[in-house]
Amino acid sequence: MTNQPYGYGAYEPYQQQGQQGQQGQGQGQQGQQGPGQAWPGQQPAYGDPYADPYADPYADQQYTQQWQGQTWETQMQPPVVAPAEETSYLPPVQTPVRPAAQPQGYAEPAPTGSVEDAPEYGPATLAGNTRVTDAQRARAEGRSPIIEPGMQPAALTALLGLLLAGGAALGTYGLLVPLVVLQGITAAGWFRLNGMWPARQGIALGFLGALVADAALLVSDRSPAAILGSLGVWVLLSLVLQLRSHADPDERMYGLMATVAAAALAIAAGGYLAADADAVTVGAVAVAAAMVARALPLPTAVSVVVASAVAAGAGFAVGGVTGLGASGALLGAGAAVCALIGHRVASYDYPSRFVHFTAGVALPLAAAAPAVYVLGRLAV
C-alpha cells in the first residue's frame, strides 16, 4: 500500500508538469533503484525478497510528499463536508415518499376518510348498512342536520293543495283523485326521510292501507270511524309482517316503526275525505298560501309568523266565499300550524333532494288533514 495520492504512478502525465525539484515518477525511474530499495515515503511491496524486515515503518514520514500537480478537475470545487449523521451509524429508517411539487394554483383533493380520512358516508338502509348517516356526519362536523325545502317543493305543495280545494268543490269523487296522489307521495316520502330506500314493501303496505281507508270512508258515508278502524288493522298487519322478517331485531323494530308511521300518515290524510267540502277548500288554500310564504328568504321565526298570518288571511278570504265566514280564519291558521310542523319534520335529518320533493311536498298537507276535519266540524 502506498500513501501517494490516488496511487503511485497513476497520473504520470500530470506529475511531469509539477514544480521543479519534485521527485520523478514512473516505471522508468523505478528502474534506477536497487532491487531492495524503496522511495522515501513508500512502503516496500508485499513479498519483496530484498525488503529489510527490521526497517523502521515510521521513518518515511519525514519524506512525505505534497501533491502540487494538476488534477482531473479544471475548476475549483468547494470542499464537501459530510455531516455527522452520514458518517455515523444509524439504523435504516423507512421514509415516506414525498410527492412531486404541484404547480401553482393546484388544490389538494378533499380527504374522504375517518372524520378526515373516512369513506364517503351515505344513508342507512334496511339491508343492514351500518354506515354513519349524513345527519350524524353533519353533527360531528358542527353543521346543522336541518335543511328546509325550497321554493320548488313549496310550489308543488301549493299546486296539490289547490287541486284538493278544487276537487272538494267538485264533489267527493273529484276530491278522491288528488287525495290518492297525496297519500302515495306521503308513504314514499316518509320511508325516504328515514333513510330506507328502496323499501317497496313498506311503501306499498302504507299506500294500500290508505286506499282501504278511503274505500271504508266511501262505504260508511265518510264516517271517521273508518279511519280509526283501518289504522288499527294496518298496525296489526305491519307487526305480523315484521315478525316474519329474518333481519336483526333492531332492524325489524326500525322497519316496524317506519311502516306504521307511513301507514298512519297516509291514512290520516284521508281526513280530507271525511271533512266538510267547504272546510277542505278553506284548509287546502290556507296550507298552500302558508307554504309559499314559508319558503320566502326570511329568518325562521319571522317566516313562521308570516306564514301563519298569510294562512289566516287566506282562510278568512276563502271562508267568506264558501259561507264559513270569519271562522275560516281560525280554520286556516290551525291548518297552517299543522302544516308547518309537517314542513319541519320534512326538513330534519339532513334530507336529500328526493326527500324534499316527496316528504317536503306531502307532509304539510297530510299533517293538516286532522285539523281540517276537527276545525271544519266546529266551524259548521
Side-chain angles (χ1 to χ4, degrees):
M1 177 177 180
T2 178
N3 47 358
Q4 291 293 332
Y6 304 100
Y8 178 72
Y11 302 95
E12 288 181 1
Y14 302 98
Q15 293 174 358
Q16 295 175 3
Q17 298 178 9
Q19 298 179 356
Q20 294 181 359
Q22 184 179 3
Q23 297 292 339
Q25 300 176 2
Q27 296 180 356
Q29 296 177 354
Q30 290 180 357
Q32 299 176 3
Q33 302 179 16
Q37 299 178 356
W39 287 102
Q42 179 181 6
Q43 296 292 339
Y46 177 76
D48 189 352
Y50 301 100
D52 187 2
Y54 301 100
D56 186 5
Y58 301 100
D60 58 349
Q61 292 184 358
Q62 58 181 333
Y63 301 105
T64 302
Q65 298 181 359
Q66 302 294 329
W67 183 264
Q68 297 180 357
Q70 186 177 2
T71 63
W72 285 105
E73 300 292 338
T74 59
Q75 296 180 356
M76 177 65 68
Q77 299 292 334
V80 178
V81 179
E85 293 82 357
E86 296 184 5
T87 59
S88 60
Y89 173 77
L90 292 176
V93 178
Q94 185 176 2
T95 57
V97 179
R98 299 180 60 185
Q102 303 294 343
Q104 186 176 4
Y106 174 80
E108 288 290 337
T112 57
S114 67
V115 173
E116 284 111 13
D117 292 25
E120 214 173 296
Y121 297 101
T125 64
L126 283 179
N129 187 355
T130 59
R131 294 181 298 174
V132 178
T133 62
D134 292 335
Q136 292 171 338
R137 186 181 185 185
R139 293 189 187 96
E141 295 175 355
R143 294 183 285 111
S144 174
I146 304 296
I147 298 179
E148 298 177 351
M151 182 58 73
Q152 291 180 348
L156 293 177
T157 302
L159 176 61
L160 189 54
L162 294 177
L163 291 176
L164 289 171
L170 294 176
T172 301
Y173 292 97
L175 175 62
L176 189 60
V177 175
L179 177 60
V180 169
V181 175
L182 172 63
Q183 290 169 328
I185 298 176
T186 301
W190 183 259
F191 271 90
R192 189 62 185 95
L193 181 63
N194 284 268
M196 292 182 290
W197 187 268
R200 299 180 183 89
Q201 294 181 354
I203 294 173
L205 185 62
F207 183 53
L208 182 60
L211 295 180
V212 170
D214 294 343
L217 283 169
L218 294 176
V219 171
S220 64
D221 195 17
R222 301 192 299 178
S223 172
I227 295 178
L228 298 177
S230 300
L231 183 58
V233 170
W234 243 250
V235 170
L236 180 60
L237 181 60
S238 301
L239 180 60
V240 171
L241 292 178
Q242 288 298 326
L243 288 176
R244 297 183 58 188
S245 174
H246 298 288
D248 294 336
D250 293 340
E251 292 290 336
R252 284 186 291 179
M253 180 59 67
Y254 189 57
L256 174 63
M257 298 305 296
T259 303
V260 170
L265 288 170
I267 292 173
Y272 287 112
L273 196 59
D276 184 74
D278 292 340
V280 173
T281 302
V282 173
V285 171
V287 171
M291 288 301 100
V292 173
R294 182 67 178 84
L296 295 177
L298 298 173
T300 302
V302 177
S303 179
V304 169
V305 173
V306 169
S308 301
V310 168
F316 179 80
V318 178
V321 176
T322 59
L324 292 179
S327 59
L330 178 62
L331 192 154
V337 170
C338 294
L340 290 173
I341 294 174
H343 179 273
R344 178 70 174 182
V345 171
S347 307
Y348 185 69
D349 205 20
Y350 210 77
S352 64
R353 182 178 176 86
F354 188 87
V355 173
H356 285 164
F357 280 94
T358 52
V361 171
L363 282 185
L365 286 168
V372 170
Y373 172 79
V374 173
L375 295 177
R377 296 277 301 219
L378 295 176
V380 175

